[in-house]
């Protein structure tokens, strides 16, 4: 089960990845409250994303975390105790959701590996981004899993430097919460 | 109240407090709150209680809130003023006490510059408040106040802090009344006042069919208001099932009620813990399965179905798996439960209950609170028992510090009503009891208010003697003086081979002279013959009193479920020992 000073009754429960999207009032300190709840209570954040939504007064925080069903329920209800939090949805639960993440990849390409590298980029529909310094930077979007395999494949060919955004997700049946 | 333009931030603070019905503010001035103190000076409706250290202010506000059901208000300066209230904020967060704490802050243009007496107050207090604000615009100040008061009292109560930079206190702006202030409903932790009917039906069915039911009652019943306690008592009587209360829940059902088994948990009653262990249906009303109550989780009420009624969904399934969760305010949930019980024509299982009670009567025969008073030195248990006997007919409020005396108070003082027992349960804050008693006395000027203290704890906020005397508060401090940090000594005896590392309270003051030096009354009882007389003198005095009761120094607090053990593994006296595997595991726990 969950947190306690005592050992919990032995129960083997599956630990799964969950994407929580949290709609909050866009006010100072709100991110600290959310993140502080995770660190203060010993939960993990695998990735974190924050941006304003259409309505300027609201932001959406997307957090990827993992845990047993009970832990995720506990995280959700602890989040709901935070005053500026409007709603918390667990998108994995609804399984009718779409997720995507963006990665920027700086590649150290030479004449030898160029062809193979570009082929893989093509395969994954990674897009080359022109820039002033003429370095070779690709942008790839998709599920985290897809980006993982891309990294695995491309790393076999060339050294890379990579920056990932962490996923955001949307329920495909979502009502427009922002329009309240 | 009309919209008022062109008033200063400081005046808005006072206007807001007045509109919120605040009668008393506990505080301590300093540079960053001088404008507010100036406004305070110019009005008469709000009384300010000057404490001697900010920790005293917030514990006093807690005592005020808990004994009156109102919101406690605190006013302190920036920097050290704010950091001194952090313990009290955490304490009220843990015990769900409604507090609004106002702190001054350096002017906005200095924020972030490490200015004199600057600290990141909202940063420091974020995890120990229900919510906090840094007010940057004087025109939002009144609405922040109205919202803060709603949040503090709404749902599961708790502390809210408002940090106000000094320039905002001087700035002029407009005042908005609470009527004009719109609060978005999501910000109010809007609890389900009314619970899901289906869960209510499931719960009453379980209770009606239970063979060995037990009610496990917590502080949430007290927070829900006196009506909730009455309803809970009525339902317990209707079902004729046994009921046990947590440290925070004492008083919900009168101690002399025949269905009450008294307190459960680490130092709870043998019969209460045994009944919890063996029950088949547990009805948790407003308690949170604290580790002090459950003991070892894998052996906690192993054969029971559990119903949990709580206003805060995060309490459900936090440590214990619940079969029937009911989320809602206890008063309205109890009304729903009653109607369901009646509509279904439910009756308890008479035969089974008779057997169940017979079993409980057997456990009661253990007489777990017995002690041997003897003729000379005072047993601490006896001191509390006599205090109870001699004060039970008065309207008495008991506060405590933290330690053995606290547990003896919980065991031997019998509480008949809610809101009369104020103790730091969740945080276990030494130094809580005396200022809390000051707050309780302010809220209940004609009542008897007694802080049951230990010799170590009382020194943590002893400076508040000056507050009590200044405000002519006849608070009584009843010290069970064992010259030890008794509870620490007890754990060292049980777990650390009797090596009493730093738990002897050397160089104690002469408490009688100490009282006198504050122009209060000092009394002392050295043996059992003097005890009653000292108690009687204490309660008949109109002054602030310290009664220094010399008790047996090495007495231990029993029964006890040591950390790592289960409800049915209680130790009843010092000759019993915890089994080794539990002890090994329990040692790392607090
Ligand atoms: C602020 C704080 N510091 C430390 C503790 C740990 N602690 C718990 S009980 C206790 C001893 C209390 O001694 P005393 O007040 O004399 O009470 P007794 O146990 O002797 O009745 C201590 C140090 C605490 N609860 N609170």
């Amino acid at each position: 089960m969950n947190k306690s000073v005592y050992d919990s009754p032995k129960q083997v429960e599956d630990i799964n990845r969950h994407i929580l999207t949290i709609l909050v009032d866009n006010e100072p300190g709100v991110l600290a409250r959310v993140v502080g709840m995770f660190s203060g209570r010993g939960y993990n954040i695998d990735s974190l994303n924050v941006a304003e939504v259409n309505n300027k007064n609201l932001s959406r925080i997307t957090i990827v975390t993992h845990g047993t069903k009970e832990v995720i329920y506990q995280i959700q209800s602890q989040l709901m105790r935070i005053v500026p939090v409007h709603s918390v949805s667990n998108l994995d639960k609804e399984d009718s959701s779409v997720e995507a993440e963006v990665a920027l990849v700086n590649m150290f390409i030479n004449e030898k590996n160029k062809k193979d590298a570009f082929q893989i980029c093509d395969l994954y529909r990674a897009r080359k981004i022109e820039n002033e310094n003429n370095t070779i930077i690709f942008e790839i979007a998709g599920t985290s899993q897809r980006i993982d395999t891309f990294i695995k494949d491309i790393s076999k060919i060339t050294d890379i430097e990579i920056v990932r955004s962490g996923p955001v997700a949307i329920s495909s049946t979502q009502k427009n919460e922002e329009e309240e | 109240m009309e919209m008022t333009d062109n008033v200063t931030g400081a005046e808005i603070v006072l206007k807001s407090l007045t509109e919120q019905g605040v009668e008393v503010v506990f505080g301590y001035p300093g540079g960053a709150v001088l404008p507010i103190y100036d406004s305070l000076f110019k009005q008469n409706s709000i009384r300010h209680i000057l404490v001697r250290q900010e920790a005293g202010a917030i514990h006093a506000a807690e005592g005020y809130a808990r004994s009156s059901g109102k919101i406690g208000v605190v006013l302190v300066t920036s920097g050290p003023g704010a950091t001194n209230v952090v313990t009290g904020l955490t304490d009220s967060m843990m015990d769900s006490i409604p507090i609004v704490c106002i702190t001054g802050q350096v002017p906005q243009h200095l924020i972030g510059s490490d200015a004199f007496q600057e600290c990141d107050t909202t940063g420091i207090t974020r995890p120990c408040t229900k919510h906090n604000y840094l007010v940057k615009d004087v025109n939002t100040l009144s609405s922040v106040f109205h919202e803060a008061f709603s949040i503090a009292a709404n749902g599961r109560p708790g502390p809210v802090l408002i940090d106000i930079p000094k320039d905002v206190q001087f700035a002029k702006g407009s005042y908005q009344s609470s009527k004009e202030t719109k609060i978005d409903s999501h910000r109010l932790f809007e609890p389900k006042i009314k619970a899901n009917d289906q869960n209510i039906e499931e719960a009453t069915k379980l209770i009606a069919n239970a063979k060995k039911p037990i009610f496990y009652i917590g502080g949430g019943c007290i927070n829900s208001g006196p009506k909730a306690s009455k309803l809970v008592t009525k339902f317990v009587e209707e079902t004729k099932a046994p009921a046990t209360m947590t440290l925070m829940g004492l008083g919900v059902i009168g101690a002399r009620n025949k269905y009450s088994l008294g307190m459960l948990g680490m130092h709870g009653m043998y019969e209460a813990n045994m009944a919890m262990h063996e029950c088949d249906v547990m009805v948790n009303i407003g308690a949170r399965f604290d580790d002090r109550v459950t003991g070892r989780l894998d052996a906690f009420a192993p054969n029971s179905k559990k119903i949990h009624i709580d206003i805060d969904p995060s309490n459900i399934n936090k440590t214990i798996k619940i079969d029937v969760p009911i989320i809602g305010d206890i008063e309205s949930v109890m009304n729903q439960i009653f109607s369901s019980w009646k509509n279904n024509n439910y009756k308890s299982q008479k035969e089974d209950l008779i057997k169940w009670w017979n079993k409980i009567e057997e456990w009661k025969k253990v007489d777990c609170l017995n002690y041997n008073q003897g003729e000379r030195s005072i047993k601490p248990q006896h001191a509390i028992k006599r205090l109870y006997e001699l004060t039970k007919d008065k309207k008495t409020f008991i506060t405590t510090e933290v330690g053995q005396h606290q547990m003896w108070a919980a065991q031997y003082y019998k509480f008949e009503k809610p809101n009369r027992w104020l103790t730091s349960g969740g945080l276990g804050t030494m130094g809580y009891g005396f200022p809390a008693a000051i707050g309780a006395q302010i809220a209940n000027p004609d009542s008897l208010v007694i802080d049951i203290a230990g010799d170590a704890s009382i020194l943590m906020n002893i400076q508040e003697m000056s507050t009590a005397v200044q405000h002519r508060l006849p608070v009584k401090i009843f010290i069970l003086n064992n010259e030890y940090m008794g509870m620490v000594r007890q754990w060292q005896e049980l777990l650390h081979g009797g090596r009493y590392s730093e738990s002897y309270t050397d160089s104690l003051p002469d408490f009688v002279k100490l009282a006198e030096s504050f122009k209060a009354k000092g009394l002392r009882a050295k043996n059992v013959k003097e005890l009653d007389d000292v108690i009687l003198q204490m309660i008949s005095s109109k002054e602030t009193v310290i009664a220094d009761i010399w008790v047996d120094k090495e007495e231990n607090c029993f029964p006890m479920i040591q950390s790592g053990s289960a409800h049915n593994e209680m130790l009843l006296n010092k000759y019993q020992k915890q089994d080794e595997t539990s002890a090994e595991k329990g040692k790392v726990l607090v």
Side-chain angles (χ1 to χ4, degrees), chain B residues 87 380 401-408 424 427-432 452-460 479-491 502-503 505 508 551 553 555:
Chain B
T87 303
E401 308 293 336
V402 172
Q404 292 178 318
H405 63 275
Q406 175 189 31
M407 292 300 121
W408 283 317
S424 170
L427 197 63
T429 311
M430 289 169 73
Y432 167 88
I452 297 179
D455 46 272
S457 295
I458 192 59
L459 291 181
M460 286 219 177
I479 304 177
L480 298 186
N481 186 347
N482 53 11
E483 292 183 18
Y484 275 111
M485 297 172 196
M487 192 56 96
V488 173
R489 192 202 50 70
Q490 176 166 346
W491 280 52
E502 303 294 321
S503 54
T505 40
L508 281 173
V551 296
K553 295 191 203 314
E555 190 69 19

Side-chain angles (χ1 to χ4, degrees), chain B residues 321-358:
Chain B
K321 190 130 182 90
I322 299 305
D323 300 286
V324 186
I326 298 180
I327 296 168
D329 177 59
I330 289 164
E331 186 188 327
S332 60
V333 169
M334 289 318 292
N335 278 320
Q336 284 175 275
I337 285 189
F338 254 111
S339 358
S340 162
W341 186 266
K342 296 232 167 89
N343 292 342
N344 287 303
N345 251 325
Y346 280 141
K347 292 262 168 331
S348 299
Q349 304 296 315
K350 206 170 165 195
E351 302 287 301
D352 292 316
L353 271 180
I354 290 174
K355 276 192 225 147
W356 182 220
W357 273 108
N358 283 342

